[in-house]
């Protein structure tokens, strides 16, 4: 290594380093702001997943209502025949279940979608 | 936060700060930035020759480092890992600017203005001014080679430049610095 290379390396080693002048504080501020932004994005993403999950479940429920009786009939289990074989209390329960099922599915979908989204954001 | 509770930031070693920062402790990362900012900004100032732009790039590099800290395998690898981020940030900025790698021809002396004959005996060059007269590519290669102690092949790996080009930039850049010093 030549004398000049040695001189150059020493000059690099001894060169002035800039003082902080709030640089670190500024970087910390930007990092904190970005983190807050990321948290908001995660929350929005979770909500979006939850709504999407609920919509998908509700769509499946609608399809089941539409095509379920035909399908059951095709496999030899007519809904009317089933109704005739069950008693009045059972029919009440069936009607109640029909009325609350969309809400149950919506809540379940929201919970499952939220849980999945939360898990995804933690990984 | 659990890790943070166990360490005193001001007295913590760099490795402890890095581990805490990897656990998303912003205060630990802030302390790490405080300790490393001088080195990082000096490195980028030498590569950029523009203090304001260098500080912007240093900030960008630290923010990228925060986002990617989980990729860092061991705290001991932090300096090399961060240097790579800084160099990549610099190169991306140059690409965005479509930098013209122009030669700068300035014949004014580069010895320290306050240097005395005694100081000249233990010669020390005004590094910032001297580097500012090199082309971007020469400045980058000379800084990484002489300043950061990287070999030619390490510079190739970091910058993506061909080996012959790196050798040429280091050689020509060093030679230019020598001529400028002799002219002084």
């Amino acid at each position: 290594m030549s004398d000049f290379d040695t001189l150059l390396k020493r000059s690099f080693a001894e060169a002035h380093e800039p003082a902080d002048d709030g640089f670190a504080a500024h970087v910390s501020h930007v990092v904190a702001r970005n983190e807050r932004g990321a948290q908001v994005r995660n929350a929005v993403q979770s909500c979006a997943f939850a709504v999407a999950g609920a919509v998908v479940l509700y769509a499946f429920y609608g399809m089941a209502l539409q095509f379920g009786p035909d399908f059951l009939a095709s496999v030899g289990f007519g809904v009317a025949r089933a109704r005739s074989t069950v008693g009045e209390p059972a029919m009440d329960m069936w009607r109640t279940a029909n009325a609350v099922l969309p809400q149950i599915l919506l809540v379940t979908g929201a919970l499952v979608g939220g849980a999945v989204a939360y898990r995804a954001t933690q990984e | 936060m659990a890790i943070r509770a166990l360490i005193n930031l001001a007295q913590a070693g760099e490795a402890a700060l890095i581990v805490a920062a990897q656990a998303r402790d912003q205060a630990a990362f802030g302390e790490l930035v405080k300790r490393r900012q001088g080195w990082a900004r000096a490195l980028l100032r030498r590569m950029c020759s523009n203090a304001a732009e260098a500080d912007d790039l240093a900030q960008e590099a630290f923010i990228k480092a925060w986002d990617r800290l989980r990729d860092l395998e061991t705290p001991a690898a932090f300096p090399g890992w961060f240097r790579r981020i800084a160099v990549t940030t610099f190169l991306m900025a140059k690409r965005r600017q479509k930098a013209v790698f122009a030669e700068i021809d300035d014949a004014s002396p580069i010895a320290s203005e306050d240097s005395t004959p005694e100081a000249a005996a233990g010669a020390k060059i005004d590094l910032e001014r001297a580097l500012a007269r090199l082309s971007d590519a020469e400045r980058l290669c000379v800084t990484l080679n002489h300043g950061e102690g990287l070999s030619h092949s390490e510079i190739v790996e970091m910058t993506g430049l061909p080996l012959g080009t790196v050798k040429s930039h280091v050689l020509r850049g060093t030679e230019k610095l020598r001529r400028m010093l002799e002219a002084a």
Side-chain angles (χ1 to χ4, degrees):
Chain A
M1 185 182 287
S2 71
D3 288 346
F4 183 73
D5 285 347
T6 309
L7 165 65
L8 199 52
K9 283 192 192 310
R10 197 174 72 228
S11 297
F12 269 108
E14 295 172 357
H16 160 77
E17 285 191 355
D20 191 320
D21 293 333
F23 178 86
H26 188 61
V27 171
S28 297
H29 174 73
V30 174
V31 165
R33 194 184 60 202
N34 289 356
E35 285 297 298
R36 282 196 300 274
Q39 281 173 355
V40 170
R41 277 196 303 278
N42 285 345
V44 170
Q45 194 181 25
S46 299
C47 290
F49 272 122
V51 170
V55 167
V56 168
L57 279 177
Y58 192 67
F60 276 121
Y61 171 71
M63 285 169 65
L65 277 186
Q66 183 73 28
F67 301 111
D70 292 343
F71 175 74
L72 290 174
S74 71
V75 296
F77 187 76
V79 174
R81 188 154 58 87
R83 281 178 181 165
S84 68
T85 59
V86 296
E88 193 56 30
M91 284 307 297
D92 283 345
M93 208 169 81
W94 171 256
R95 276 191 286 270
T96 306
N98 261 340
V100 298
L101 201 54
Q103 285 84 347
I104 291 173
L105 281 173
L106 273 173
V107 170
T108 307
L111 288 174
V112 171
V116 169
Y118 177 76
R119 179 74 182 155
T121 56
Q122 295 302 304
E123 285 172 354
Chain B
M1 286 295 159
I3 294 172
R4 163 81 184 284
L6 300 175
I7 62 171
N8 178 340
L9 290 181
Q11 294 169 355
E14 186 169 284
L17 290 177
I18 291 168
V19 170
Q22 284 181 313
R24 313 309 285 165
D25 185 332
Q26 292 179 29
F29 184 72
E31 180 65 24
L32 186 63
V33 173
K34 207 178 283 181
R35 292 187 194 180
R36 282 288 180 177
Q37 58 86 26
W39 164 68
R41 290 163 75 197
L43 171 65
L44 280 157
R45 282 182 184 200
R46 283 169 205 152
M47 291 194 287
C48 284
S49 78
N50 177 326
E53 183 190 5
D55 283 358
D56 286 346
L57 292 180
Q59 180 184 313
E60 194 179 327
F62 274 116
I63 290 165
K64 281 182 189 168
W66 166 257
D67 290 338
R68 299 175 193 171
L69 256 179
R70 285 178 183 164
D71 299 340
L72 178 63
E73 291 179 0
T74 62
F78 180 80
W81 177 82
F82 182 81
R83 185 192 295 121
R84 181 181 292 273
I85 290 178
V87 170
T88 308
T89 304
F90 167 77
L91 290 172
M92 285 173 67
K94 287 294 161 192
R95 282 187 199 122
R96 278 199 302 269
Q97 296 165 2
K98 300 190 183 343
V100 178
F101 284 71
E103 304 275 333
I104 298 168
D105 187 15
D106 181 347
S108 59
I110 59 166
S112 297
E113 284 170 350
D114 56 352
S115 65
T116 61
E118 292 76 22
K124 187 176 172 184
I125 58 177
D126 185 340
L127 195 62
E128 314 294 334
R129 288 182 62 201
L131 286 171
R133 292 181 206 166
L134 303 182
S135 70
D136 284 344
E138 286 168 350
R139 197 164 52 242
L140 172 67
C141 292
V142 167
T143 299
L144 291 177
N145 183 238
H146 292 291
E148 297 296 307
L150 299 187
S151 68
H152 292 156
S153 54
E154 285 171 325
I155 297 173
V156 167
E157 197 203 339
M158 191 171 283
T159 60
L161 294 171
L163 180 61
T165 306
V166 168
K167 283 182 178 175
S168 166
H169 285 321
V170 170
L171 199 66
R172 287 176 56 200
T174 308
E175 194 50 39
K176 279 184 187 175
L177 290 177
R178 187 202 311 272
R179 282 205 305 273
M180 283 189 263
L181 183 63
E182 284 170 357

